[in-house]
Amino acid sequence: MKNRKKQFLKIGGIVAVFAVVGIVAGVMQYKKDHRFDLTVAEHTISKEEYVNCMESVEYDTKMQIQQDYDAVYGDDFWKKKYKEKYGYEILAENTVEQLKYIHTVYDLAKENGDISDSSYEALEKRWKDENAERKEKVEKGEVIYGLKEYTFPLYLDYEISTLKEKYCSDTDREGMELTEDEIVEHYKSRDWIFGDSEENADLETARVAVERELREQKYDDMIAQREEDSQVEGNMKDVNHFTLENLQ
């Protein structure tokens, strides 16, 4: 009887060990399946930031796939393979590229003192503060310009446009000082029509618009170059898996 009890205890111990091993393995597998590690231009990207950015490019990516591969949108749209890549992999690539662009814009703005913090958390705080301020003004019956409340994507677009305008308006900043030769060359690159006129305006009439457009092009080129040089670190397999999970 005692030997039988010992056998039961021994078997029970073995079962318990296997149970613990199974639980540990399950936890490890769960962590592996939900792993997310992505750094863009030395900014650690959180899951929240990634999903927000992914959602902002999802529609354009869907249009891109439909046009490039003559695809029809359906339940398995993102899981289908288009030549060498699955739909969700294309979406992940576009999301990372957008993150590179966003952080390039904000890092440049920080370098020039337009913002004090270029992190996602600081951006999110400015968005919430802006909405809180607008809500308070509405409650007080004060006049506000624009929307009563910004969605995050709309606020992001608004702030990026504001930062670009601020940079391009300062002729002392890198790339913003124009030579007369550059202005003349840009003026000659196309026609400049204003109002109901059908004739090309002369340079002096068009100068302000010519200079503004030229500065904006130079800014865009500078952002594009910095974006290209931006470093991305992380396991794209995990990022791809995370992208697919958040599409379901």
Side-chain angles (χ1 to χ4, degrees), residues 5-6 8 31 157 168 194 213:
K5 284 183 178 180
K6 287 181 180 179
F8 283 145
K31 288 183 177 180
D157 288 344
C168 294
F194 296 93
E213 185 175 282

PDB file of all heavy atoms in Angstrom, residues 5-6 8 31 157 168 194 213:
ATOM      1  N   LYS A   5       1.188   4.204  -2.784  1.00  0.00           N
ATOM      2  CA  LYS A   5       1.072   5.638  -2.495  1.00  0.00           C
ATOM      3  C   LYS A   5       2.268   6.396  -3.030  1.00  0.00           C
ATOM      4  O   LYS A   5       2.152   7.482  -3.582  1.00  0.00           O
ATOM      5  CB  LYS A   5       0.942   5.866  -0.982  1.00  0.00           C
ATOM      6  CG  LYS A   5      -0.438   5.537  -0.431  1.00  0.00           C
ATOM      7  CD  LYS A   5      -0.508   5.863   1.042  1.00  0.00           C
ATOM      8  CE  LYS A   5      -1.903   5.575   1.592  1.00  0.00           C
ATOM      9  NZ  LYS A   5      -1.993   5.897   3.036  1.00  0.00           N
ATOM     10  N   LYS A   6       3.438   5.783  -2.856  1.00  0.00           N
ATOM     11  CA  LYS A   6       4.653   6.432  -3.354  1.00  0.00           C
ATOM     12  C   LYS A   6       4.616   6.568  -4.863  1.00  0.00           C
ATOM     13  O   LYS A   6       5.040   7.559  -5.441  1.00  0.00           O
ATOM     14  CB  LYS A   6       5.892   5.623  -2.930  1.00  0.00           C
ATOM     15  CG  LYS A   6       6.218   5.748  -1.452  1.00  0.00           C
ATOM     16  CD  LYS A   6       7.458   4.948  -1.118  1.00  0.00           C
ATOM     17  CE  LYS A   6       7.813   5.064   0.365  1.00  0.00           C
ATOM     18  NZ  LYS A   6       9.013   4.274   0.708  1.00  0.00           N
ATOM     19  N   PHE A   8       1.852   6.751  -6.677  1.00  0.00           N
ATOM     20  CA  PHE A   8       0.884   7.806  -6.997  1.00  0.00           C
ATOM     21  C   PHE A   8       1.501   9.189  -6.834  1.00  0.00           C
ATOM     22  O   PHE A   8       1.311  10.081  -7.651  1.00  0.00           O
ATOM     23  CB  PHE A   8      -0.355   7.696  -6.100  1.00  0.00           C
ATOM     24  CG  PHE A   8      -1.287   6.594  -6.517  1.00  0.00           C
ATOM     25  CD1 PHE A   8      -1.988   5.859  -5.559  1.00  0.00           C
ATOM     26  CD2 PHE A   8      -1.464   6.275  -7.857  1.00  0.00           C
ATOM     27  CE1 PHE A   8      -2.851   4.842  -5.943  1.00  0.00           C
ATOM     28  CE2 PHE A   8      -2.331   5.255  -8.233  1.00  0.00           C
ATOM     29  CZ  PHE A   8      -3.021   4.529  -7.273  1.00  0.00           C
ATOM     30  N   LYS A  31       4.043  35.191 -25.503  1.00  0.00           N
ATOM     31  CA  LYS A  31       4.927  36.348 -25.593  1.00  0.00           C
ATOM     32  C   LYS A  31       5.586  36.429 -26.963  1.00  0.00           C
ATOM     33  O   LYS A  31       5.746  37.511 -27.525  1.00  0.00           O
ATOM     34  CB  LYS A  31       5.999  36.291 -24.492  1.00  0.00           C
ATOM     35  CG  LYS A  31       5.446  36.587 -23.104  1.00  0.00           C
ATOM     36  CD  LYS A  31       6.560  36.579 -22.072  1.00  0.00           C
ATOM     37  CE  LYS A  31       6.029  36.952 -20.697  1.00  0.00           C
ATOM     38  NZ  LYS A  31       7.108  36.945 -19.675  1.00  0.00           N
ATOM     39  N   ASP A 157      -2.107  65.824 -39.203  1.00  0.00           N
ATOM     40  CA  ASP A 157      -1.990  66.525 -40.484  1.00  0.00           C
ATOM     41  C   ASP A 157      -1.885  68.030 -40.274  1.00  0.00           C
ATOM     42  O   ASP A 157      -1.075  68.715 -40.922  1.00  0.00           O
ATOM     43  CB  ASP A 157      -3.207  66.226 -41.376  1.00  0.00           C
ATOM     44  CG  ASP A 157      -3.187  64.810 -41.918  1.00  0.00           C
ATOM     45  OD1 ASP A 157      -2.126  64.176 -41.870  1.00  0.00           O
ATOM     46  OD2 ASP A 157      -4.248  64.338 -42.381  1.00  0.00           O
ATOM     47  N   CYS A 168       9.326  76.968 -43.606  1.00  0.00           N
ATOM     48  CA  CYS A 168       9.491  77.599 -44.921  1.00  0.00           C
ATOM     49  C   CYS A 168       9.372  79.119 -44.868  1.00  0.00           C
ATOM     50  O   CYS A 168       9.828  79.815 -45.786  1.00  0.00           O
ATOM     51  CB  CYS A 168       8.454  77.043 -45.904  1.00  0.00           C
ATOM     52  SG  CYS A 168       8.696  75.294 -46.293  1.00  0.00           S
ATOM     53  N   PHE A 194      -3.101  83.432 -62.491  1.00  0.00           N
ATOM     54  CA  PHE A 194      -3.798  83.888 -61.288  1.00  0.00           C
ATOM     55  C   PHE A 194      -5.199  84.372 -61.648  1.00  0.00           C
ATOM     56  O   PHE A 194      -5.386  85.095 -62.639  1.00  0.00           O
ATOM     57  CB  PHE A 194      -3.018  85.019 -60.607  1.00  0.00           C
ATOM     58  CG  PHE A 194      -1.661  84.596 -60.104  1.00  0.00           C
ATOM     59  CD1 PHE A 194      -0.533  84.757 -60.906  1.00  0.00           C
ATOM     60  CD2 PHE A 194      -1.508  84.023 -58.859  1.00  0.00           C
ATOM     61  CE1 PHE A 194       0.711  84.370 -60.458  1.00  0.00           C
ATOM     62  CE2 PHE A 194      -0.261  83.627 -58.401  1.00  0.00           C
ATOM     63  CZ  PHE A 194       0.848  83.796 -59.201  1.00  0.00           C
ATOM     64  N   GLU A 213       6.511  78.250 -53.319  1.00  0.00           N
ATOM     65  CA  GLU A 213       6.512  76.888 -53.857  1.00  0.00           C
ATOM     66  C   GLU A 213       7.922  76.304 -53.895  1.00  0.00           C
ATOM     67  O   GLU A 213       8.123  75.120 -53.594  1.00  0.00           O
ATOM     68  CB  GLU A 213       5.916  76.883 -55.267  1.00  0.00           C
ATOM     69  CG  GLU A 213       5.764  75.484 -55.848  1.00  0.00           C
ATOM     70  CD  GLU A 213       5.053  75.491 -57.184  1.00  0.00           C
ATOM     71  OE1 GLU A 213       3.814  75.608 -57.212  1.00  0.00           O
ATOM     72  OE2 GLU A 213       5.757  75.393 -58.229  1.00  0.00           O
TER      73      GLU A 213
END
